[in-house]
Amino acid sequence: MKAIAKRAAGYAGSSLWAGTSSWADSGGGATDVVVVRHASGELACSSFHAQLPKLTKQDFMGTRVQIFVNNLPTPLSMVLDRDLICCFDDGSYRASSEELEMLNLKPGRNSIRYEMIHACNNDRRYTVKADIHLWNISDKVVVVDIDGTVTKTDVAGFGAEKLGYEYIHAGVCEAVSVIARNGYRILFLTSRAITLAHSTRAFLRSIGLSNGGVGMPEFCLITTTERFLDSLVVGVRSADKFKTVALSEILAVMAPGSVVNSAPAESVAGGRGGT
């Protein structure tokens, strides 16, 4: 494990990990949020996972974090714990249907920004950004892995691009675009760190653009809630468990009472069982 972590740190700037040249384990990030409107009119959501960057030794525990949607302030806010992780006042990570209604979401992708204003300097703001998606209960979803599926390498293959290897499977953008055109929502699920969420979105959106293409269609991104080095442990030892839990949450939002089958999924090109 130490060897993997050492090699990973050495290749932190590799585009295998989506533009992480400015990588620091103190960085912040946020996963995307899925909101689904049910037939009853009620809204349900996946977890609001966000961590602000550790840029100072000052203790911000209990500090209020404002939530902006589509660059507009909302009545919804969260508070910071000792590790700069955002949570709601009751300690949870999910908003109620009434709170979700206050966000005035439009169908499909919406931008979300978590912003903390420095208590002693109103001009100093700490922010992380993600997307929040409003889906219908009838929407169909295709889940796509990233490392080892979109790319040709997983966490054990750090640095392949640095060594001159082509690291993206040919035709990935085209395949995902066809799926989206057939009416499916796209959800990328990865055991990458939450601190790499922003750069991973940029990486995914860049695929297909280099040859004059249109790039990836609209997608949702779910990462681990771990910072960089801890996420390597998840990627190596328990990626299957993390992804089962993550899929279970999405399924619970889409179809309450359903259970994700923990048995290995059917093999697909580029995929690896259990990851």
Side-chain angles (χ1 to χ4, degrees), residues 172-194:
V172 166
C173 184
E174 292 80 358
V176 174
S177 296
V178 169
I179 292 171
R181 285 199 297 270
N182 278 277
Y184 291 87
R185 300 286 189 182
I186 305 299
L187 189 153
F188 284 104
L189 180 62
T190 177
S191 53
R192 293 186 183 195
I194 193 171

Side-chain angles (χ1 to χ4, degrees), residues 37-221:
R37 186 175 296 280
H38 290 262
S40 63
E42 293 287 300
L43 293 173
C45 69
S46 60
S47 296
F48 284 66
H49 285 306
Q51 297 184 26
L52 293 187
K54 293 182 178 180
L55 300 178
T56 174
K57 293 182 179 179
Q58 184 174 348
D59 185 3
F60 289 111
M61 183 176 179
T63 302
R64 185 68 54 181
V65 175
Q66 179 68 50
I67 293 179
F68 292 74
V69 170
N70 296 325
N71 293 319
L72 297 175
T74 73
L76 195 60
S77 66
M78 304 179 81
V79 294
L80 292 176
D81 70 5
R82 192 173 301 279
D83 294 318
L84 297 184
I85 297 172
C86 300
C87 64
F88 291 110
D89 290 342
D90 60 359
S92 72
Y93 302 100
R94 296 191 194 180
S96 67
S97 178
E98 293 76 15
E99 290 171 327
L100 293 170
E101 289 286 4
M102 294 189 297
L103 301 181
N104 294 319
L105 298 173
K106 63 182 182 181
R109 184 175 70 87
N110 301 259
S111 66
I112 184 169
R113 184 171 85 250
Y114 303 82
E115 181 173 293
M116 183 199 77
I117 301 177
H118 196 287
C120 300
N121 184 352
N122 289 339
D123 292 329
R124 188 171 187 181
R125 300 169 185 264
Y126 299 85
T127 66
V128 291
K129 299 178 181 180
D131 293 322
I132 181 168
H133 302 258
L134 178 58
W135 294 349
N136 291 317
I137 190 63
S138 59
D139 284 345
K140 299 171 289 184
V141 182
V142 170
V143 180
V144 185
D145 190 20
I146 297 179
D147 297 296
T149 302
V150 173
T151 69
K152 294 181 179 180
T153 60
D154 56 14
V155 67
F158 249 124
E161 182 268 341
K162 284 278 189 179
L163 298 175
Y165 296 108
E166 175 57 47
Y167 64 99
I168 300 174
H169 281 292
V172 166
C173 184
E174 292 80 358
V176 174
S177 296
V178 169
I179 292 171
R181 285 199 297 270
N182 278 277
Y184 291 87
R185 300 286 189 182
I186 305 299
L187 189 153
F188 284 104
L189 180 62
T190 177
S191 53
R192 293 186 183 195
I194 193 171
T195 52
L196 297 182
H198 179 74
S199 55
T200 298
R201 287 186 197 93
F203 162 69
L204 291 171
R205 287 169 180 153
S206 71
I207 297 176
L209 293 177
S210 59
N211 295 321
V214 295
M216 280 287 179
E218 183 179 292
F219 62 83
C220 175
L221 174 67

Side-chain angles (χ1 to χ4, degrees), residues 18-42:
T20 59
S21 56
S22 59
W23 167 81
D25 207 31
S26 62
T31 67
D32 288 355
V33 180
V34 173
V35 178
V36 175
R37 186 175 296 280
H38 290 262
S40 63
E42 293 287 300

Side-chain angles (χ1 to χ4, degrees), residues 228-249:
F228 184 77
L229 293 180
D230 290 335
S231 74
L232 293 181
V233 178
V234 174
V236 171
R237 296 182 179 176
S238 56
D240 55 340
K241 294 180 181 179
F242 153 69
K243 291 176 181 178
T244 298
V245 171
L247 288 174
S248 295
E249 182 180 50

